[in-house]
Amino acid sequence: MNTPESRSRDTQERTFCKWLNTKLEANGYPSMSSLVKDLSDGVRLIQLMEIMGDTSLGRYNKNPRMRVQKAENVNKALEFITSRGVKLTNIGPEDIIDGNLKLILGMIWTLILRFTIADISEEGLSAKEGLLLWCQRKTEPYKEVNVQDFSHSWSDGLALCALIHCHRPDLLDYDRLDKGDRHGNTRLAFQVAAEHLNIPQLLEVEDLCDSAHPDERSVMTYIASFFHAFSTMDQAETVSRRVEKFAELMQSVWIIRNDYERRVRLFLTALTDMQDQWSSQVFTGTYTDAKEQSAVFTTYKQTTKRTWVTERQDLATLFGNVQTKLKTYSLREYVPPSGLALSDLDVAWQALLEKEAERSRKINAQIRQIKESLRKKFAKLANDFEQKLHDISSELSAMEGPLEEQQQQVQEIQTRIPALSDALSTVAQAEVECNAANVEENDYTIFTCQDLEFELELVMHSITKKITFIDNQIVSRNMTNLTPAQLEEFESTFRYFDKDETNTLNSAEMIAALASLGIVYSEEDMDLIYDQLVADYGAVTFEAFINLLVDITEDQTSPDQLREAFRGIAKDKPFVTELDLRIAHLPAASIDYLREAMPSAPNEAGEAEYDYERFIDEVFT
């Protein structure tokens, strides 16, 4: 019956028989033609066990004729197999004598496993798994080959060709194979293996190419021959790989060591260079320079130093990796060259930290010193400036003697003002420097630039007022045709209406001043008078105002005339009220002046009544 099981059994019988014949022929024994017939007397089985076990089984019946003799031979062979740790299941001498092919094939497969496949080992896997892994690893570079089992994976001959090409590329050109010629590729592999690798052809081409399910045991048996044929080559490859791995290990260690030593040298050089740079830097004494050096130092701590901290840690890790790798492979510990050990790195780092702290102290001390210097500089300038202002004020207040001499003295003082303005600019620049240096407090002075600027304005104002006062006094002194009381009245009136203290009156101020003195003209006349004074004097100065009043009083102003004018405004009352003054259309400024100058008393309604009689008597007496 042609069933898959029967075809597999036929393939196994033929393959196992060829495999056993390779053992017999190699030792000078004749080959077998039938497993059932040739193993039935036990002779061939004993010969095979002696070959596989590399030992003698002792005396046995070499020409057995009786069944009992055959049984003794077979039993001796089976006992030897069992003694070698091979477990035989459900087979006895009678099964072999009687030719039970199924059990015979099972026994032979057990022998193949024990003496051919069991010693196969690949990356921790043994027997079938190890052999499969070996095949997969050897054929992995070949994209058309995908070994997943010992059956279909070998049906196109490419896996066999790949095994041969992997070890002996000189025996066949894998790239030139017709990948679709399954029979041709398989036949080629069988031929090359038999002729050049001394691997007997245990299978037929049809066993692989024409079988729906190639027999796994037969394929494993044949492939195991490839493993053993290439074992010597693989051993050499293993030795080479071991040397290669060791060389790779030592090269990697060498690279890491060189990288470590190179980086340590660069690291130590960088630390030294930075310290030398700090030592060579000098301060110019300015706050800008100190702050720039401080900013550079801060940037170093935030960038360069952090990079160095990382590099220092990386170097320690790199050194540890070298030692760990050497220790893993029981190799001698790495000792860095002198000056490149981690301890040397720690010493250099500690020296850097000390220099860094010293650098920080120097910068901070420089900034403090500059700030203190700026405080003292500003304080001296400010205090000296204030003293000059104080001296001028003292001179003004203590001035005495003839008016012309005082006038010269004040004018001389006035010539100092430009120099004081320049000095104030110097003080202001010193204050700008302090502000730029964030100097907020100064125990050496109580003055600010604004304080001094205000005081300078006061002094300049005092000088102007002093000059005005002296000039007016000279004018008053020269007015011999006026009584002192008139001069006092006219001067006080002028000062009152000189609101901007320029020692001049504008048109409105002049009109108001005259009206306060009871001198009232039409608007057209007032404009003519003002224009004439400006033409004569350049402005209505105190001198112009006094001369105008002299002219007016000499011509028309007398106590009787003034009394008559007030009496007309008061409508014959002995007093005048604010309402009377307003009804008379006196300017508001004149009304304000008269309210201040004339004596008054409140009436029953609480309204002020101004005594113009008494006022005129006091003015003209």
Side-chain angles (χ1 to χ4, degrees):
M1 175 182 277
N2 187 15
T3 64
E5 183 178 354
S6 65
R7 288 195 298 272
S8 179
R9 186 167 57 248
D10 291 342
T11 302
Q12 284 187 24
E13 182 180 7
R14 186 172 57 256
T15 302
F16 290 175
C17 185
K18 289 181 180 180
W19 180 76
L20 291 175
N21 284 338
T22 61
K23 307 295 182 183
L24 293 171
E25 292 171 356
N27 287 275
Y29 295 109
S31 60
M32 298 185 297
S33 59
S34 171
L35 293 178
V36 173
K37 178 183 176 182
D38 293 333
L39 294 178
S40 62
D41 61 3
V43 175
R44 298 291 186 152
L45 192 57
I46 289 176
Q47 291 172 349
L48 287 167
M49 293 305 100
E50 287 182 338
I51 292 171
M52 294 181 189
D54 193 23
T55 185
S56 173
L57 271 64
R59 297 182 60 183
Y60 60 92
N61 295 304
K62 296 184 178 180
N63 295 299
R65 297 183 180 276
M66 297 184 291
R67 184 179 179 86
V68 65
Q69 292 175 326
K70 295 179 180 180
E72 288 178 354
N73 285 347
V74 173
N75 193 57
K76 179 183 284 287
L78 294 179
E79 287 179 351
F80 175 77
I81 293 173
T82 305
S83 69
R84 287 301 181 97
V86 180
K87 184 177 181 181
L88 298 175
T89 304
N90 298 327
I91 187 170
E94 66 278 1
D95 297 313
I96 297 176
I97 295 172
D98 294 337
N100 190 330
L101 182 59
K102 181 178 181 180
L103 294 180
I104 291 173
L105 291 175
M107 178 193 68
I108 296 175
W109 174 243
T110 303
L111 293 176
I112 292 173
L113 288 176
R114 171 62 180 82
F115 292 102
T116 300
I117 298 178
D119 60 344
I120 294 176
S121 178
E122 183 71 14
E123 297 186 10
L125 299 177
S126 59
K128 177 182 177 180
E129 291 78 10
L131 182 60
L132 181 62
L133 179 61
W134 178 80
C135 293
Q136 291 173 337
R137 186 167 58 82
K138 295 297 182 180
T139 61
E140 182 179 5
Y142 302 86
K143 63 179 181 178
E144 300 86 0
V145 179
N146 183 20
V147 177
Q148 297 297 325
D149 52 37
F150 289 105
S151 182
H152 294 291
S153 299
W154 305 88
S155 62
D156 58 3
L158 292 178
L160 290 172
C161 290
L163 279 180
I164 296 172
H165 184 265
C166 174
H167 293 88
R168 292 290 302 276
D170 58 305
L171 297 180
L172 60 83
D173 189 346
Y174 182 86
D175 294 332
R176 296 177 63 87
L177 293 176
D178 182 355
K179 306 303 188 297
D181 185 3
R182 301 165 67 248
H183 292 78
N185 293 334
T186 303
R187 189 177 296 108
L188 176 63
F190 285 167
Q191 180 182 349
V192 171
E195 293 178 0
H196 298 282
L197 301 176
N198 199 28
I199 298 175
Q201 183 179 333
L202 303 181
L203 297 170
E204 299 299 328
V205 174
E206 293 75 12
D207 294 336
L208 294 178
C209 300
D210 297 338
S211 174
H213 188 79
D215 181 64
E216 182 181 65
R217 293 182 177 181
S218 299
V219 174
M220 282 184 64
T221 303
Y222 184 56
I223 299 303
S225 300
F226 279 83
F227 177 86
H228 291 293
F230 292 132
S231 61
T232 302
M233 187 179 297
D234 285 346
Q235 288 175 1
E237 181 181 339
T238 300
V239 171
S240 299
R241 190 163 59 247
R242 182 176 295 114
V243 173
E244 179 185 354
K245 286 186 176 180
F246 180 76
E248 290 176 352
L249 168 66
M250 295 308 296
Q251 184 181 21
S252 67
V253 171
W254 181 82
I255 291 174
I256 297 176
R257 284 173 49 181
N258 281 358
D259 186 41
Y260 168 80
E261 293 173 8
R262 178 185 61 82
R263 289 168 63 179
V264 168
R265 289 190 179 95
L266 290 175
F267 186 73
L268 293 176
T269 299
L271 299 188
T272 302
D273 290 346
M274 181 58 72
Q275 294 174 65
D276 292 343
Q277 180 180 335
W278 290 340
S279 300
S280 63
Q281 287 178 334
V282 296
F283 295 102
T284 62
T286 65
Y287 182 76
T288 301
D289 171 70
K291 286 301 291 183
E292 286 178 355
Q293 296 199 36
S294 176
V296 171
F297 185 67
T298 300
T299 301
Y300 148 77
K301 290 194 293 183
Q302 294 175 348
T303 55
T304 304
K305 184 182 179 182
R306 292 180 183 178
T307 302
W308 287 350
V309 170
T310 303
E311 177 67 0
R312 181 174 174 236
Q313 182 62 46
D314 290 345
L315 288 173
T317 301
L318 192 61
F319 182 82
N321 291 344
V322 174
Q323 302 295 43
T324 299
K325 183 170 284 192
L326 293 174
K327 187 175 182 181
T328 300
Y329 293 94
S330 301
L331 298 176
R332 182 180 300 172
E333 179 182 5
Y334 165 59
V335 178
S338 177
L340 301 182
L342 289 181
S343 58
D344 299 316
L345 213 59
D346 292 338
V347 171
W349 185 257
Q350 189 59 40
L352 174 75
L353 296 182
E354 293 176 359
K355 288 293 184 180
E356 183 180 302
E358 179 182 340
R359 175 65 176 166
S360 179
R361 289 193 297 270
K362 284 184 177 180
I363 291 176
N364 293 336
Q366 179 70 11
I367 291 175
R368 287 194 298 269
Q369 180 180 343
I370 291 173
K371 285 188 174 184
E372 188 68 6
S373 176
L374 290 175
R375 288 190 188 95
K376 291 181 178 179
K377 175 182 177 182
F378 175 80
K380 185 176 188 310
L381 291 173
N383 293 338
D384 290 348
F385 187 85
E386 198 281 333
Q387 184 61 47
K388 290 177 182 178
L389 295 181
H390 176 74
D391 292 343
I392 290 175
S393 297
S394 299
E395 288 184 49
L396 290 175
S397 61
M399 199 171 290
E400 57 184 15
L403 291 175
E404 285 73 11
E405 292 182 6
Q406 293 187 36
Q407 188 178 47
Q408 291 178 357
Q409 292 175 13
V410 175
Q411 290 173 349
E412 186 278 327
I413 292 174
Q414 193 174 34
T415 61
R416 306 180 203 169
I417 298 301
L420 286 175
S421 297
D422 293 340
L424 184 61
S425 298
T426 304
V427 176
Q429 180 58 37
E431 187 175 66
V432 169
E433 294 176 0
C434 288
N435 292 335
N438 296 319
V439 176
E440 297 178 353
E441 73 289 335
N442 195 335
D443 294 335
Y444 301 106
T445 184
I446 60 173
F447 304 109
T448 65
C449 190
Q450 287 184 331
D451 296 336
L452 298 177
E453 185 177 356
F454 177 74
E455 290 191 21
L456 176 59
E457 291 178 356
L458 291 180
V459 169
M460 293 171 63
H461 188 62
S462 298
I463 293 173
T464 300
K465 290 179 67 176
K466 190 68 172 179
I467 291 174
T468 299
F469 175 77
I470 293 174
D471 289 344
N472 292 346
Q473 290 301 307
I474 292 175
V475 171
S476 299
R477 181 194 62 185
N478 295 332
M479 294 299 171
T480 56
N481 51 349
L482 293 178
T483 66
Q486 286 178 310
L487 283 174
E488 178 63 28
E489 179 187 13
F490 295 162
E491 183 180 355
S492 62
T493 300
F494 183 87
R495 286 199 305 271
Y496 179 83
F497 288 99
D498 182 16
K499 299 297 184 180
D500 54 3
E501 298 183 351
T502 59
N503 204 36
T504 62
L505 299 178
N506 59 33
S507 178
E509 291 172 341
M510 183 195 75
I511 294 172
L514 292 176
S516 69
L517 295 174
I519 302 172
V520 179
Y521 294 102
S522 66
E523 183 176 347
E524 182 179 354
D525 291 340
M526 284 295 185
D527 290 339
L528 290 174
I529 294 172
Y530 180 80
D531 293 340
Q532 186 62 47
L533 291 177
V534 171
D536 294 340
Y537 297 95
V540 182
T541 63
F542 178 74
E543 181 180 4
F545 183 73
I546 293 298
N547 286 333
L548 172 64
L549 291 177
V550 169
D551 292 340
I552 293 174
T553 54
E554 285 181 347
D555 293 339
Q556 62 183 19
T557 304
S558 66
D560 292 337
Q561 291 172 330
L562 189 57
R563 186 175 290 106
E564 186 64 27
F566 270 110
R567 188 176 294 116
I569 292 173
K571 295 183 174 42
D572 296 327
K573 295 193 301 290
F575 58 86
V576 68
T577 64
E578 182 178 350
L579 180 60
D580 295 331
L581 296 175
R582 294 189 183 281
I583 291 174
H585 300 292
L586 267 68
S590 299
I591 295 173
D592 290 340
Y593 171 74
L594 293 173
R595 288 175 55 200
E596 292 290 333
M598 291 191 297
S600 63
N603 58 18
E604 294 179 357
E607 182 181 10
E609 296 178 346
Y610 298 95
D611 189 347
Y612 60 83
E613 295 283 355
R614 181 180 169 190
F615 172 64
I616 293 172
D617 291 340
E618 291 177 352
V619 169
F620 285 96
T621 300

